[in-house]
Amino acid sequence: MLSLSDRYIVNMFLGEALTGTYVASYQVGSAPFQFLGGVFGFLVQPIIFQYSSMSVKKGAEKISSALVAFAWISVPMLAAFIIMHQWLMRWLVAPAFWSGVDAIVWIGLGIYMWVFGNIVMNALLVMKQTMPLLKISALAAGINIGLNLLLVPRWGIAGAGISTFLAYAFNAAALLYAGKQALEWRFPWQSYWIALLIAGSAGLAGKLAHLYLFESSYTLMAFAGVSSIFLIVTGTFIMLFKNRVTRDYQVMVSRV
């Protein structure tokens, strides 16, 4: 109900053709973050449980360290995805599905929140509190269905994408709250804010370059130019925050 109900509601209100367009958008929008989910779900979870069996405190440290690593890897990827998503849509699906670009950013943000929620969910699993997971998933599914019924008739497949994002954002926020109640661990706010500042600045520079230097064209040359500017600005800001980045890297290596 949480991850698939949107397709049925889109089909009910908009028909099969737009359902196909939405599914194509969903595949493209979720692909980069599904990769992240594999890395931080299948690799981080065994590490956390390896230590939590010996010490709850150690398990808390592992979750916090995993979120530090997730911040530095995922936030730049999210910023790059937001400015590059139209290239992905044009390269990965047929022209008949390009109208789905209206939903793709919202879907990507939603899957990002889903992956984030899966990391903080480990706090509940470490403490063997699985009932809150059922309640949170049920509430998130209800929110997803309700928002889709409300927004799809008004905004089409963009409404379905927004519903996906809001439902997964609720899921992540509820898991974060419940996880911190169950197991005391420090959320790395400073790392996230700095990563957002770096990635946001680089993303803004890339977007402005796309608008004014490459005139919103979607050629390979424009992609290379925007990517280069994004990486240069990212590297420059990382050097400005070198001490913090180095400290976080040392934490990741020593604890994860």
Side-chain angles (χ1 to χ4, degrees), residues 196-236:
L196 282 169
L197 174 62
I198 293 172
S201 301
L204 179 61
K207 186 63 177 177
L208 292 175
H210 188 212
L211 288 174
Y212 296 108
L213 295 181
F214 301 100
E215 300 177 348
S216 296
S217 63
Y218 295 97
T219 62
L220 186 59
M221 183 175 294
F223 177 79
V226 172
S227 299
S228 298
I229 291 170
F230 180 84
L231 292 173
I232 289 170
V233 176
T234 299
T236 301

Side-chain angles (χ1 to χ4, degrees), residues 2-252:
L2 179 58
S3 61
L4 295 175
S5 60
D6 50 356
R7 293 157 173 78
Y8 294 99
I9 296 172
V10 168
N11 185 64
M12 181 173 65
F13 285 110
L14 305 178
E16 294 179 358
L18 283 177
T19 301
T21 300
Y22 178 72
V23 170
S25 300
Y26 200 99
Q27 294 300 321
V28 175
S30 64
F33 307 108
Q34 292 284 7
F35 169 77
L36 273 181
V39 171
F40 282 92
F42 298 120
L43 294 183
V44 170
Q45 199 170 83
I47 294 173
I48 292 171
F49 275 90
Q50 178 186 359
Y51 286 90
S52 65
S53 61
M54 293 183 281
S55 167
V56 170
K57 180 182 177 182
K58 208 73 173 176
E61 289 179 354
K62 297 299 174 186
I63 295 170
S64 182
S65 300
L67 285 169
V68 172
F70 185 71
W72 287 111
I73 294 172
S74 68
V75 174
M77 180 183 288
L78 181 62
F81 169 78
I82 290 173
I83 63 172
M84 303 295 184
H85 68 278
Q86 288 181 310
W87 274 282
L88 293 176
M89 200 69 181
R90 289 169 182 266
W91 290 345
L92 297 178
V93 300
F97 300 109
W98 286 357
S99 61
V101 75
D102 294 338
I104 189 173
V105 171
W106 293 109
I107 293 167
L109 287 168
I111 302 302
Y112 178 89
M113 298 305 297
W114 173 75
V115 176
F116 174 86
N118 280 352
I119 299 173
V120 300
M121 176 182 68
N122 286 296
L124 294 173
L125 296 178
V126 165
M127 299 304 293
K128 299 179 175 62
Q129 295 189 18
T130 53
M131 184 56 72
L133 296 178
L134 175 61
K135 294 177 180 178
I136 291 169
S137 295
L139 282 171
I143 290 171
N144 190 36
I145 293 171
L147 286 173
N148 271 288
L149 290 172
L150 179 66
L151 299 181
V152 169
R154 297 185 180 188
W155 296 336
I157 59 175
I162 294 170
S163 301
T164 295
F165 165 64
L166 292 176
Y168 279 130
F170 167 81
N171 182 67
L175 286 171
L176 178 61
Y177 175 79
K180 287 183 69 64
Q181 293 294 313
L183 179 64
E184 285 296 323
W185 49 278
R186 182 176 298 177
F187 187 86
W189 289 110
Q190 190 173 8
S191 299
Y192 269 88
W193 285 121
I194 295 175
L196 282 169
L197 174 62
I198 293 172
S201 301
L204 179 61
K207 186 63 177 177
L208 292 175
H210 188 212
L211 288 174
Y212 296 108
L213 295 181
F214 301 100
E215 300 177 348
S216 296
S217 63
Y218 295 97
T219 62
L220 186 59
M221 183 175 294
F223 177 79
V226 172
S227 299
S228 298
I229 291 170
F230 180 84
L231 292 173
I232 289 170
V233 176
T234 299
T236 301
F237 269 81
I238 286 175
M239 292 304 297
L240 291 176
F241 293 96
K242 181 179 178 181
N243 291 337
R244 178 69 197 190
V245 175
T246 302
R247 190 157 60 245
D248 279 354
Y249 176 77
Q250 290 171 345
V251 167
M252 288 185 286

